Amino acid sequence: MLQKTKGIVLRTVKYKDTSVIADIYTEYCGRASFMVPVSRSRKATVKLSLFQPLALIELEADFRNNASIYKVRDAKPYHPFTSLPFEPYKSAIALFLSEFLCRAVREEMENRPLFAYLEHSIIWLDECRAGFSNFHLVFLMRLSRFLGLYPNLDNYHRGDCFDLRNACFTTLPPQHHTDYIGPEEAAQLQQLIRMNYDTMHLFAMSRHDRIRCLTMINQYYRLHLPDFPVLKSLEVLKELFD
């Protein structure tokens, strides 16, 4: 049946010369794949240029039972970006987060709280004018709540380590594996969890600190999500925000 839904574009893959397959996280049914026709006509009802990383679109598609790929009938932006695709730092963040979400968010069912979180975060980044250097770190930490991966950050004491496998602080390093971070970085984790989008500019972090936090978060997700890869865009993001 034809159904309208909001969606967040994760990626597109070329399919023959006449269409692409777009992976989109939708408000209606979670993550889904859509066949998008490619047309050079100005009168085309579906324009491929809409399907950029993290684009917020409203689409109408034929959601047929037992189909694995749905056909898009119409699509339009419902929040046209003002800065996200045009500013190098923001576009690098968008590419990284779209790749991250494409690997991390796999559920094919409605999850409106998660969709609302993603939507709010993307709009916030697009509208923010300064002080967003830590955005991706805060985004990934808070995303873990929606994926059931939020670490246990209670009972922290100065000098503790953080066990990445068991997601908790420990007085001593784990004896049976090496997936942990030492006391200095564990203290940074405590700082990171206190940040939100409105206050993160108040927390001074060097590029080295930011790289270490990003590497730690990526390692945490790799330990807790099956087949989570090393992301290609990770190295690009590490070079930003001196």
Side-chain angles (χ1 to χ4, degrees):
M1 65 175 180
L2 290 178
Q3 174 72 40
K4 289 185 177 180
T5 182
K6 290 181 177 180
I8 300 167
V9 178
L10 303 182
R11 70 174 177 182
T12 58
V13 179
K14 185 177 179 181
Y15 181 76
K16 298 183 179 180
D17 294 327
T18 57
S19 58
V20 300
I21 295 175
D23 288 326
I24 300 175
Y25 192 76
T26 71
E27 186 178 37
Y28 173 66
C29 63
R31 179 169 173 163
S33 296
F34 297 86
M35 187 76 71
V36 182
V38 175
S39 174
R40 295 181 176 85
S41 171
R42 294 182 179 180
K43 297 181 180 180
T45 57
V46 180
K47 300 185 185 305
L48 186 59
S49 59
L50 296 177
F51 294 81
Q52 302 300 315
L54 299 189
L56 302 173
I57 63 175
E58 183 179 68
L59 57 88
E60 184 178 41
D62 188 0
F63 288 90
R64 296 190 179 185
N65 292 335
N66 301 320
S68 58
I69 301 177
Y70 307 114
K71 292 183 179 180
V72 174
R73 302 299 187 188
D74 191 19
K76 61 183 179 181
Y78 71 87
H79 178 87
F81 288 140
T82 60
S83 68
L84 196 58
F86 314 115
E87 296 184 13
Y89 284 174
K90 287 187 178 182
S91 61
I93 291 175
L95 286 172
F96 169 74
L97 294 183
S98 62
E99 184 184 7
F100 196 100
L101 290 170
C102 198
R103 300 292 187 176
V105 179
R106 304 175 185 179
E107 60 182 8
E108 297 178 353
M109 62 182 65
E110 179 183 311
N111 187 334
R112 289 180 183 265
L114 174 55
F115 183 88
Y117 169 71
L118 298 178
E119 178 186 56
H120 166 75
S121 299
I122 294 166
I123 292 174
W124 190 97
L125 178 60
D126 181 57
E127 296 179 347
C128 179
R129 293 294 172 257
F132 54 84
S133 300
N134 296 325
F135 174 85
H136 50 297
L137 303 179
V138 176
F139 176 91
L140 295 178
M141 285 296 296
R142 293 178 178 268
L143 176 66
S144 66
R145 286 187 183 274
F146 295 92
L147 302 183
L149 304 176
Y150 195 70
N152 180 4
L153 300 176
D154 298 330
N155 303 318
Y156 170 75
H157 299 90
R158 186 179 179 86
D160 281 354
C161 300
F162 186 78
D163 185 332
L164 291 168
R165 287 195 184 183
N166 294 304
C168 63
F169 290 107
T170 62
T171 304
L172 298 174
Q175 296 184 349
H176 304 296
H177 65 82
T178 58
D179 295 312
Y180 70 93
I181 56 176
E184 183 177 349
E185 291 171 325
Q188 285 186 337
L189 180 61
Q190 278 292 100
Q191 173 179 287
L192 183 60
I193 204 61
R194 296 199 304 272
M195 296 183 189
N196 59 47
Y197 296 150
D198 295 325
T199 64
M200 62 187 181
H201 67 281
L202 301 175
F203 294 80
M205 294 182 71
S206 67
R207 186 164 74 91
H208 173 75
D209 292 339
R210 201 170 288 113
I211 289 173
R212 285 300 304 145
C213 285
L214 183 58
T215 302
M216 173 192 69
I217 294 172
N218 191 70
Q219 183 182 359
Y220 180 79
Y221 272 93
R222 291 190 68 196
L223 286 169
H224 293 274
L225 289 178
D227 304 319
F228 194 83
V230 176
L231 303 178
K232 294 180 181 179
S233 56
L234 184 63
E235 292 304 317
V236 175
L237 203 61
K238 286 180 179 180
E239 298 303 317
L240 299 181
F241 304 116
D242 285 318

